[in-house]
Amino acid sequence: MEILAPAGSPEGLVAAIKGGCDAVYLAGKSFGARAFASNFTDQELEGAIKYAHEHGVKVNVTVNTLIKNSEMEEAVQFVQFLKDIGADAVIIQDIGLLKAIKDIPIKKHASTQMAVHSRAGLQWCADNGMDRVILARELTFDEIADVIKDSPIETEVFVQGAMCYCQSGGCLFSSIVGGRSGNRGECAQPCRKKYESEDRNGYILSNADMYCIDYLKKLDEIGVSSVKIEGRMRSEAYAYLASRAYSLAYKDPENPELEKTTGLLKTVFNRGYCHGYLDGVSSLVQATYPDNRGLFIKKVKVKNRTFSIKDTDLHTGDGISLFDGDMKIGGFKILTSGTDVTSPFKLQDGSYDLYRTYDPRIDEVKNLIGRPPKLTGDTKRSKVKVSAPKIERAKNPSKLSFYVSTLKILDIVMPYADRIYYDGKDFDEAFARCKGTGVECVMYLPRFSYKEDIPEDKDIPIMAHNIGQVEAAKGHRVYGSYFINMFNSFFPNDLHQTTLSVELSKSEIKDVISRYDGKVEVMVFGRLELMITRDPHLKNGTIKDDKGYVFPVYRDRFGFTHILNSSDLMLINYLDDLERSGVDSFGIDLRKRPVELATLVCKAFKDRDFQYNEEIKKLCGGTVNTGHYLRGV
């Protein structure tokens, strides 16, 4: 089993390799999911690969963002360049990019952003030229063991580092609310901010980091090919210590250096640790604080600025910090030996949380890493032509597709609908009511379903959210939701119809459609889903951010929690423009909505009648939005 470590910079590369890993992953200056890491120029990439290979270490390069039409040629040229300079693999998210690079002979790894969490997903990747899948972090250990049994492809599992609150590849919170797309490598980390709910306040979407060093043997036994350490945005000391700790734990677990190394790892970056979902489905949230505090030592009682460090492993030279809840009171370095420590600053009597934030041995690690060599190369990018010529699209009236979750709303929308995506427990009844009416009833699959339970009846159309569901639903008429992340016109024309990504702008939608010969849908109304999470602690209701925006929350019948946008997408004023662009149908989401609103929306969008706009806006809480249609990402 491979130990795979992060390299966010030349310093991080050297650190990870000296730590003892078998492979590193890193990024160029574009198309990487960590856009704010230092990353590597083309010349540095070539030098980094040469340096790694000289030390017997493989290099996987991330090209794992969604790619616009205008960027595709550059992205393909970059992948060709990576092949030319000897990269061992590329990590990708975009299905259109996968199609565009199918003839470039380089190993291709499916990013965790592809949300692969089923045997069917592994099979799709194997059938489509991929060599490895980085599995979704939402899987439990037992589910991983089941999914990868007799896998036709290599598998990789995260074991260390940040744990997204939302299912990877399905988060729109940063994009819709903050204007920075996580799917484009610019996540603003909304899950690390404070929120209020009906029964809980604090950092209630902030997960503790994964620390799964004690799972290495078990993961190896079930056949996992590679275990991955997250952390390209972290220091070179972290890269070394994480690489060293996991390499020792797997290859030399009796080494006396292991305990010291793990202790330093927990000091250099620590916002609380968990096993992810490997232990099973339970809350991973560490709601007290979202940032690095170092290693928690204990709760201390302070009197006259003095407290005891007896029975701790704190020593002279260690840096410590005191916190009261989520407020940092202050920090200082221990300068004297003994069991009592006195704060150099004013400190009220009381109880505080004590953390070690620095250990002098970390400086020894930095000295051991040293300066990186000059990473250079002289290979130039080849000029690779990638074209998606414009096509003539039939100018047909756009159809109306309604997302519905109850039979009551289904009966309201049927006179106006061409299609219904039914997301309710009583699908058979919904399907029966639509049969013979000319209204198509499509089964809306759960967004996460590692068993991929698809009805045997091939006459039932399916809405899929990921490639595993597409694979499992072969033989059915398959629709792709906006979570399948169609971002460009290179997206394969394998589905009956695909909903475009809601992160595309007006001009980008027009350009994609003008070069794509498949059917496309565009979302035009409803509360977009910002997050879906497996975390069980959020209840039905709302959460409110520090700006006063309120986001509806509901748990679905499969146990997953959905967080919706604070206001509704409303593009009724742009329907004519979209229809002229060649949009085949419009998506209108009326799930969890009242009868009065559903009735008005049906009338307004069927007749494109703007007289209902103000009343709809009022029923939506007083505000609506145009999403990314006028701004893009």
Side-chain angles (χ1 to χ4, degrees):
M1 187 171 68
E2 174 186 86
I3 305 296
L4 177 62
S9 65
E11 293 80 5
L13 170 75
V14 173
I17 291 174
K18 287 189 175 181
C21 63
D22 304 299
V24 295
Y25 65 102
L26 45 77
K29 291 294 185 180
S30 54
F31 308 125
R34 289 292 183 269
F36 302 117
S38 296
N39 297 322
F40 294 77
T41 66
D42 282 6
Q43 290 71 38
E44 287 173 334
L45 279 172
E46 186 171 1
I49 292 168
K50 181 180 179 182
Y51 175 84
H53 286 175
E54 287 173 349
H55 289 81
V57 172
K58 293 181 179 180
V59 180
N60 305 332
V61 183
T62 63
V63 194
N64 58 340
T65 60
L66 297 181
I67 310 294
K68 297 180 180 182
N69 266 0
S70 60
E71 302 166 334
M72 187 59 75
E73 187 165 272
E74 181 188 354
V76 173
Q77 288 178 358
F78 183 50
V79 174
Q80 180 63 53
F81 170 74
L82 295 175
K83 184 267 176 187
D84 292 342
I85 62 175
D88 294 281
V90 291
I91 304 170
I92 61 175
Q93 172 188 10
D94 193 292
I95 298 173
L97 175 63
L98 175 62
K99 180 181 176 182
I101 64 171
K102 63 182 177 63
D103 294 327
I104 298 178
I106 187 171
K107 288 187 175 181
K108 302 166 183 74
H109 295 179
S111 169
T112 191
Q113 294 289 105
M114 275 194 177
V116 179
H117 52 259
S118 66
R119 291 190 186 189
L122 295 179
Q123 190 62 55
W124 187 96
C125 289
D127 291 345
N128 285 271
M130 307 203 83
D131 301 275
R132 177 185 292 182
V133 168
I134 305 167
L135 289 169
R137 280 174 278 190
E138 293 73 37
L139 289 167
T140 68
F141 175 80
D142 289 342
E143 289 167 348
I144 292 171
D146 187 20
V147 166
I148 72 171
K149 187 178 180 180
D150 302 320
S151 174
I153 193 171
E154 290 184 359
T155 54
E156 184 174 304
V157 172
F158 276 93
V159 291
Q160 169 75 29
M163 183 78 183
C164 293
Y165 188 73
C166 180
Q167 178 183 343
S168 299
C171 183
L172 293 169
F173 210 141
S174 174
S175 171
I176 298 294
V177 177
R180 285 168 41 184
S181 171
N183 282 317
R184 302 267 294 159
E186 298 183 345
C187 180
Q189 296 192 311
C191 55
R192 303 295 183 190
K193 300 182 185 302
K194 267 189 172 182
Y195 296 91
E196 297 178 18
S197 68
E198 283 82 350
D199 63 343
R200 194 176 184 191
N201 300 333
Y203 301 97
I204 59 177
L205 308 184
S206 182
N207 280 338
D209 279 10
M210 297 185 80
Y211 178 78
C212 304
I213 204 163
D214 47 342
Y215 263 93
L216 294 183
K217 183 178 179 181
K218 293 177 69 176
L219 291 169
D220 188 27
E221 287 173 348
I222 64 172
V224 169
S225 310
S226 177
V227 288
K228 186 169 193 171
I229 300 165
E230 187 276 338
R232 280 182 290 152
M233 295 284 289
R234 299 182 185 178
S235 69
E236 60 266 31
Y238 172 89
Y240 173 86
L241 290 165
S243 175
R244 176 78 170 154
Y246 279 82
S247 296
L248 284 176
Y250 178 58
K251 301 169 186 175
D252 190 12
E254 302 303 319
N255 193 308
E257 287 290 306
L258 178 58
E259 184 177 358
K260 181 186 84 171
T261 304
T262 56
L264 290 177
L265 173 61
K266 292 176 181 179
T267 297
V268 77
F269 195 98
N270 191 329
R271 56 181 162 215
Y273 281 122
C274 66
H275 283 141
Y277 289 110
L278 293 181
D279 292 340
V281 180
S282 60
S283 183
L284 313 180
V285 168
Q286 196 288 99
T288 307
Y289 58 91
D291 50 356
N292 172 33
R293 284 194 177 184
L295 180 64
F296 177 72
I297 301 299
K298 67 174 184 175
K299 188 174 284 290
V300 296
K301 290 185 177 181
V302 174
K303 187 171 183 179
N304 297 327
R305 294 174 27 214
T306 300
F307 55 92
S308 172
I309 58 170
K310 185 180 179 181
D311 299 324
T312 72
D313 62 351
L314 292 174
H315 303 96
T316 302
D318 285 349
I320 58 175
S321 290
L322 294 166
F323 288 82
D324 182 7
D326 65 347
M327 182 182 299
K328 183 176 180 179
I329 304 304
F332 57 94
K333 185 178 287 188
I334 298 174
L335 299 177
T336 58
S337 60
T339 59
D340 290 336
V341 174
T342 301
S343 168
F345 51 80
K346 187 176 180 180
L347 189 60
Q348 291 184 349
D349 291 355
S351 294
Y352 298 90
D353 292 326
L354 174 65
Y355 293 82
R356 180 169 63 197
T357 55
Y358 171 76
D359 186 310
R361 291 174 295 178
I362 293 173
D363 284 339
E364 297 174 16
V365 169
K366 292 177 180 178
N367 291 333
L368 175 65
I369 297 168
R371 288 181 171 272
K374 189 173 183 180
L375 304 175
T376 60
D378 52 18
T379 302
K380 304 297 182 184
R381 295 195 190 189
S382 304
K383 293 295 181 183
V384 179
K385 279 293 179 184
V386 177
S387 64
K390 289 192 174 184
I391 61 172
E392 284 293 325
R393 290 185 66 92
K395 302 297 182 181
N396 298 318
S398 302
K399 295 182 177 181
L400 294 183
S401 301
F402 290 88
Y403 291 69
V404 170
S405 55
T406 65
L407 295 173
K408 180 182 288 189
I409 300 299
L410 178 139
D411 289 339
I412 290 170
V413 306
M414 276 184 63
Y416 306 91
D418 297 290
R419 180 181 304 111
I420 290 172
Y421 303 124
Y422 196 77
D423 182 17
K425 61 183 178 181
D426 39 13
F427 176 80
D428 290 344
E429 175 63 22
F431 190 76
R433 292 190 188 188
C434 291
K435 195 169 185 177
T437 66
V439 178
E440 183 180 29
C441 188
V442 180
M443 178 182 283
Y444 185 97
L445 295 180
R447 282 180 54 190
F448 183 99
S449 54
Y450 95 98
K451 287 289 190 181
E452 305 296 24
D453 295 323
I454 308 294
E456 293 183 5
D457 186 350
K458 302 298 184 184
D459 291 333
I460 296 177
I462 299 295
M463 172 165 264
H465 312 289
N466 55 69
I467 54 179
Q469 292 175 338
V470 170
E471 175 71 20
K474 280 183 175 179
H476 294 259
R477 175 179 284 189
V478 181
Y479 294 82
S481 78
Y482 57 89
F483 292 106
I484 210 159
N485 287 327
M486 179 179 177
F487 217 73
N488 53 65
S489 53
F490 294 82
F491 192 92
N493 183 10
D494 297 336
L495 308 184
H496 181 73
Q497 181 171 279
T498 309
T499 306
L500 293 181
S501 166
V502 295
E503 296 186 287
L504 293 171
S505 68
K506 174 182 178 180
S507 61
E508 290 161 353
I509 290 171
K510 184 176 181 180
D511 185 54
V512 169
I513 295 173
S514 71
R515 303 172 191 276
Y516 185 71
D517 61 358
K519 292 182 179 181
V520 296
E521 183 164 296
V522 171
M523 295 301 299
V524 295
F525 181 83
R527 300 246 180 173
L528 297 178
E529 292 190 5
L530 302 183
M531 283 186 171
I532 178 174
T533 179
R534 207 169 189 184
D535 174 42
H537 92 276
L538 270 189
K539 298 179 180 178
N540 289 328
T542 62
I543 59 172
K544 183 169 69 172
D545 69 10
D546 58 1
K547 296 181 179 178
Y549 291 107
V550 178
F551 305 91
V553 176
Y554 75 91
R555 292 185 66 77
D556 66 27
R557 63 190 186 281
F558 305 103
F560 293 88
T561 300
H562 303 248
I563 302 175
L564 309 182
N565 197 13
S566 59
S567 66
D568 284 272
L569 176 71
M570 176 74 158
L571 295 182
I572 192 170
N573 292 22
Y574 304 98
L575 299 187
D576 290 346
D577 289 342
L578 287 165
E579 187 172 77
R580 283 191 292 269
S581 295
V583 173
D584 295 282
S585 62
F586 300 131
I588 299 168
D589 194 341
L590 293 174
R591 290 174 292 172
K592 312 290 181 182
R593 309 313 289 271
V595 168
E596 185 179 3
L597 175 62
T599 302
L600 279 181
V601 168
C602 287
K603 292 178 180 178
F605 279 84
K606 182 68 173 181
D607 298 331
R608 302 187 189 179
D609 190 340
F610 301 160
Q611 70 171 316
Y612 297 106
N613 283 14
E614 286 304 312
E615 186 63 21
I616 290 172
K617 183 177 177 181
K618 181 180 177 182
L619 291 173
C620 288
T623 182
V624 292
N625 66 77
T626 56
H628 284 296
Y629 188 71
L630 300 180
R631 59 174 177 162
V633 291

